[in-house]
Structures are given as C-alpha cells and as structure tokens.
Amino acid sequence: MRTKYKPPRLRNLKPDKRKGRKKRYILIPLLLVILLSLGILLKVRWGAWFGNAPEAPYSTPEEITRITLTPGSDFTSERTLSWRSGERLEASAVYIQEITAGGDTLPGHRIPALGRLVKSRSGKGCFYHVSLDSLHLGARYLYRLQSGERRSPIYSFTMPTERDCDTTRFVYLGDVQDPAGQMSSTFFREIKARLADSIQFLALAGDQIEGPTDQYWQSWYQALQGLNTRIPVIAAPGNHEYLKRGFARELDVRWIPQTNYPLNGPKDFLQRSYYIDFPLMRLIVLDTTDIMWLGAINSHKSWLRHALSSSRQPWQVVLFHHAVDCVREGRKNLIMHHVFKDELLDHGADLVLQGHDHGYARSTTRGQRGDTIAPAFVISSASPKVYRNGFSAVHDRLGSGLQLYQDITVTKSQIHYTSYRFQPDSVSRDSLLDRSKLLYDEFTLSRGRDGVVHVDDKARSLPELFLYENFSTDSKGQKRAAQYAKEVKERRERRKKQ
Ligand SMILES: [Fe+2]
C-alpha cells in the first residue's frame, strides 16, 4: 500500500522575531552613528574637498608679463616662450637673435606667435607662445617679445654646450606653495645667487601655488626673480593648480597657456603629462591629480610603460606630485601606491621625484641581497606649510618642518643627488653660507657590472631633523605632540643601533 507523502515540518525556518528585534536595536544606532560621523566629516572637510579659494576680480595689464621659458621634447634643440598681455588678442611675435657658440652674432628674425584668450572665474587675459626648434648647442639667444604695440625688454637664454651633454645639472623642488610669496622669493633669490649659472633647468613637483587664482599666479611669477625668462621650467601639476568642481577636478585654465609643454602625453592629458629627452636621461612628468578614474589610470599606465621602456638614454627620471609611499602621517595615495609604483619598479625608473606631503622622505628598493637599488623615491618640500610625518619603515631617511631644494647632477656613470636646506633668515642674504653646512641628504645612483643600478647612501652621518611643531594647545594636540616626540626618540634609537 502506498503511503501518502507528508512534507517535513519546517519548524525552525520561521525567523526568530526576538533575534530580529535584537539585531535592529544594534543596527539602527550603528547606522545613525555612521551617518552622524559622515555628516561631521563632510562639514569639517567640505571646504578642503570641494571648496575653492575665491578668485578676486582682476584685469590683465597690457604690459608683457608672466614670461615662461620651457623646453620642447628635445632639450638640446627646442624651447618655447610663453607670455601674457592684455585682454584683446593682437598680432604678437618674438624677435630672436643668435650669438653662436663661437661668438658670432647672426642676423635676428621675427617669428609670429600663437595667441588665445583665456577666461578664468573672475577675469580674462591673452596668452601667447612661440615654439622654437633647431636651436644650436652652446648658442646664446637674445629675445624680445611683442604683442600689438608693446615690446618686452631684451632677455636671453643659453642652450647647453657640447660639454653639458655629458652632464645635466638641475634643481628639483617639491611643493613651493607659499600663499604670501615672501618665503619663496627669498628661496628663488638664493637659487639665483648660488646656482642660476650652473643648472640647466628647474624641476617642480607640483603645488607651485596656493590655489588657482590670478593673484596666486602673480605671487608665483614675482617670487621667481626673473629665472623664468632664462632657465627652463619643467613642472608637474599639483592638486593646488586644480579647480574643484564637486567631485570632479579641472586643471587651472592658465596652466597650459603659461607653459605649453610638449604634446607627447597620453590623450586627454596633452601638455599635462609629457616627457623631455636629454642626452643622458629621459625626464617623464605625470599629472597625478586627475588620474584617479579608470580611463585615465589605464591610459597613463600604458603611456608610462612606453615612455620608460622606449627610452634609449641611460637614466630615467620621473617627476610627479602624489607620492607612491606617503610621508605625511596617515596619508595614502592608493592608486599611486598600488598601480604606479609597480610600473616604476618594473619598467626601469631610476629616480622618482615627488611632492604633496610637505615633509621630506627618501626610500629605495631592496635587491635580492637586501642591498639598496633603484628606483630611489624622494619626497621634498619648499613650502612654509609643513605637515607631521609618519614613521613608516619604507623610508630610509625622513625630515619634517624643513624647506629644501635638491641639486642633482646626471652623468653617464651616475646620478648624484643632494638635498640642501635653504639658508636661514638669520644669515645675511648678501653673504651666502657655506653650503656644506646646509646639506640634508646625499646619495648616488650608479650602474654596476651586473646592470643593476645601486643606491649609495652618503648621508648616514647626517642627523635627521624633525622640526614639526604645529600641535594645538588643547589636550588632544598635546597628546599628539607627546606621541610624536616618542616616535622621534624611538627612531633615533633604532638608527643608532643600525
Ligand atoms: Fe598637494
């Protein structure tokens, strides 16, 4: 006889109402706490994340100003001159005359300029530029700019000599970001006095200015002490050169017209990411502020890989703003760390120059035997704004509360890197202090017989300086100050034992 099928009784499948209620008691307050914390965080950080410094209304004078000398993609034969004049586009040109390496003065000629009207949030101005190629090694070029009826004074720049092709010397600065423009004026005065006749260019790792306003650009050009008319400026954009538009970022409209960098970057990033070829190195510049979305990450990844691996020069130097291993306490640039660090390691970067953290750090890569090899990663700053550093083991050398410049010399056999503190205010600017007293870091990169680039730390005997002291006076600030002092002490003890 067939028995009738009885389905099993699903006794325990009914939800336990008491348990559900219990979960709700926990989840609802938790959700409220999260929402409240998010609300407070948004309120506190709204200005920093989404706000822009207001741009005061301005008008652009007729006078020719903001002259910027930049290199083309071939450093030995190409230069671009950019300038600003008035608010109405007019016929513009450069008058240029060559004095050859042998001392002969050749007839001058006029080259018409390209111009564009640039409108920012609170004003407008006309920017012009002329790109020069087939320039000669060792030649000095006198130039005068003209827009409409206005003419600039006569300026000059000198191309590298044959001998310079065996040695490239330059100054690298991290963030200059000096809202008042006073400290940076004294720094550029010092660079001018010490180095202007010896270096071939200035390399800037972004955040040159406090924010994308005409006034901050004005301070920047005033601070430069005229170096911009005679020494090529190679800069990476930083986040402070960007205008925030909600969650989006937009590079300041003046950036490209002021610099007109080479057009060899990834699509959508032309003249923002680019590279420049020197006889002994390729210098690759990345705009890291706006590569946080997938399309930009991918296009930069393949471009960077190609720029590194297609170079025929012995050295690859990379310059950008957001560091792969941050030194600022608690900061992480996840995409730079997890995506671009590997690209730099795998495709032959030797020296990586970074900014953004307003502190100093140097780290290297470890070889199979634990030795220090390229790439060497550096973070530096010349800004009066200083941040508290963290104490990650990845950094071989640290510093805080410092304003530094780096004097770097590239030869066929090595890169010699030095970092110096700017001269203190207490010392007269007329008498420059012995520079060796201001040395903060030094190392060399040289290629061994095995083809591996080794990093030799020459700064082991130099003390690390932790001068950061911007702690608030409340109990939270004092607690932080005590913790910081403790970490500094522990680091010093660890270093003594090494
Ligand atoms: Fe920055």
Side-chain angles (χ1 to χ4, degrees):
M1 200 176 90
R2 289 176 70 185
T3 54
K4 201 177 169 187
Y5 170 74
K6 281 187 186 171
R9 292 180 71 186
L10 303 174
R11 292 181 62 184
N12 296 324
L13 293 183
K14 274 190 182 174
D16 182 335
K17 282 185 183 169
R18 275 174 306 176
K19 270 189 189 170
R21 244 180 261 138
K22 241 186 201 174
K23 271 186 192 168
R24 270 202 300 269
Y25 289 144
I26 299 167
L27 277 177
I28 291 171
L30 189 67
L31 205 66
L32 284 173
V33 169
I34 292 170
L35 282 174
L36 191 69
S37 312
L38 271 174
I40 293 169
L41 190 66
L42 270 176
K43 193 171 168 16
V44 173
R45 301 293 298 163
W46 185 267
W49 290 344
F50 305 111
N52 292 297
E55 183 175 56
Y58 66 94
S59 52
T60 298
E62 299 280 292
E63 184 194 357
I64 290 171
T65 55
R66 303 197 183 176
I67 300 163
T68 316
L69 178 67
T70 51
S73 58
D74 178 358
F75 190 82
T76 55
S77 69
E78 296 173 352
R79 292 287 181 274
T80 295
L81 285 161
S82 309
W83 68 95
R84 186 181 82 152
S85 171
E87 297 186 344
R88 197 164 45 88
L89 280 170
E90 292 184 87
S92 297
V94 60
Y95 292 87
I96 191 155
Q97 189 166 32
E98 177 180 344
I99 301 171
T100 67
D104 298 327
T105 303
L106 304 183
H109 55 282
R110 176 183 186 276
I111 305 169
L114 294 171
R116 66 179 110 171
L117 176 66
V118 174
K119 290 180 183 169
S120 71
R121 285 176 289 163
S122 302
K124 59 186 179 180
C126 292
F127 288 83
Y128 301 90
H129 76 279
V130 169
S131 293
L132 307 162
D133 57 18
S134 308
L135 302 174
H136 296 120
L137 285 179
R140 182 165 172 245
Y141 290 89
L142 309 178
Y143 69 91
R144 168 175 264 179
L145 307 169
Q146 176 234 323
S147 283
E149 298 300 311
R150 280 105 43 208
R151 284 185 162 78
S152 72
I154 296 172
Y155 299 106
S156 72
F157 63 86
T158 305
M159 296 302 286
T161 61
E162 290 274 2
R163 224 186 68 209
D164 292 334
C165 293
D166 297 329
T167 307
T168 303
R169 187 171 172 192
F170 66 98
V171 161
Y172 141 61
L173 296 172
D175 305 35
V176 174
Q177 205 186 331
D178 177 17
Q182 283 172 342
M183 188 187 261
S184 50
S185 293
T186 63
F187 291 169
F188 282 115
R189 210 170 296 140
E190 184 176 339
I191 289 173
K192 191 174 177 179
R194 284 193 195 275
L195 293 159
D197 295 329
S198 318
I199 58 169
Q200 293 181 26
F201 66 95
L202 288 170
L204 307 166
D207 283 5
Q208 293 160 235
I209 55 171
E210 171 69 11
T213 73
D214 201 70
Q215 196 195 338
Y216 287 133
W217 280 120
Q218 188 65 19
S219 303
W220 168 253
Y221 278 96
Q222 275 170 2
L224 279 170
Q225 308 295 315
L227 290 169
N228 44 309
T229 64
R230 55 187 274 216
I231 295 180
V233 175
I234 300 177
N239 53 306
H240 281 258
E241 279 87 48
Y242 268 78
L243 196 64
K244 295 166 198 165
R245 292 202 183 277
F247 286 101
R249 298 278 184 276
E250 188 180 293
L251 183 58
D252 184 50
V253 285
R254 286 157 282 230
W255 176 272
I256 290 176
Q258 277 175 180
T259 50
N260 292 289
Y261 286 122
L263 288 152
N264 53 16
K267 190 176 158 255
D268 298 332
F269 284 85
L270 293 176
Q271 300 184 306
R272 297 155 62 183
S273 295
Y274 55 94
Y275 62 81
I276 293 164
D277 283 323
F278 296 74
L280 296 172
M281 70 169 171
R282 174 168 281 182
L283 176 58
I284 303 166
V285 181
L286 267 77
D287 176 0
T288 51
T289 299
D290 202 21
I291 57 171
M292 304 303 166
W293 47 282
L294 201 59
I297 293 169
N298 286 336
S299 67
H300 265 91
K301 248 173 78 172
S302 52
W303 175 79
L304 176 62
R305 199 176 295 177
H306 175 76
L308 285 167
S309 52
S310 65
S311 161
R312 296 286 163 262
Q313 292 93 317
W315 301 107
Q316 320 310 322
V317 179
V318 188
L319 173 77
F320 52 80
H321 189 59
H322 298 83
V324 297
D325 288 305
C326 300
V327 66
R328 185 178 178 183
E329 167 73 35
R331 175 178 271 172
K332 281 190 170 35
N333 299 321
L334 293 177
I335 291 166
M336 294 313 295
H337 181 80
H338 292 291
V339 178
F340 288 97
K341 187 174 178 182
D342 281 347
E343 296 297 324
L344 296 162
L345 290 169
D346 294 347
H347 298 282
D350 296 300
L351 177 62
V352 181
L353 308 172
Q354 312 159 107
H356 193 47
D357 287 347
H358 296 242
Y360 185 81
R362 183 234 304 162
S363 57
T364 55
T365 311
R366 293 292 186 267
Q368 283 173 344
R369 296 188 299 274
D371 46 343
T372 50
I373 61 168
F377 296 88
V378 183
I379 302 169
S380 186
S381 176
S383 172
K385 280 187 179 178
V386 292
Y387 297 153
R388 189 169 84 248
N389 63 289
F391 293 89
S392 161
V394 77
H395 295 124
D396 299 327
R397 189 166 176 77
L398 291 172
S400 73
L402 302 166
Q403 286 80 34
L404 301 154
Y405 68 92
Q406 288 63 229
D407 183 355
I408 302 171
T409 303
V410 181
T411 59
K412 196 172 179 183
S413 59
Q414 73 166 24
I415 295 180
H416 183 203
Y417 171 102
T418 51
S419 176
Y420 292 91
R421 297 181 69 186
F422 280 102
Q423 185 159 302
D425 281 338
S426 54
V427 178
S428 155
R429 294 276 152 193
D430 300 329
S431 56
L432 290 172
L433 204 66
D434 174 6
R435 219 165 54 127
S436 62
K437 293 189 176 112
L438 300 164
L439 183 67
Y440 190 70
D441 194 8
E442 182 175 13
F443 63 87
T444 57
L445 292 159
S446 49
R447 192 166 273 107
R449 283 189 188 155
D450 51 1
V452 175
V453 174
H454 296 269
V455 181
D456 188 5
D457 183 353
K458 309 259 185 202
R460 284 200 187 93
S461 61
L462 292 174
E464 287 182 326
L465 299 173
F466 296 98
L467 308 183
Y468 177 86
E469 53 188 15
N470 296 353
F471 296 98
S472 55
T473 48
D474 58 14
S475 63
K476 209 170 157 191
Q478 291 312 296
K479 224 173 174 182
R480 277 191 183 148
Q483 176 63 23
Y484 187 66
K486 184 173 162 259
E487 286 181 283
V488 167
K489 195 175 163 211
E490 283 168 4
R491 179 169 174 91
R492 289 199 170 128
E493 279 163 7
R494 268 198 311 277
R495 280 171 69 83
K496 256 187 216 165
K497 286 178 196 159
Q498 281 170 4

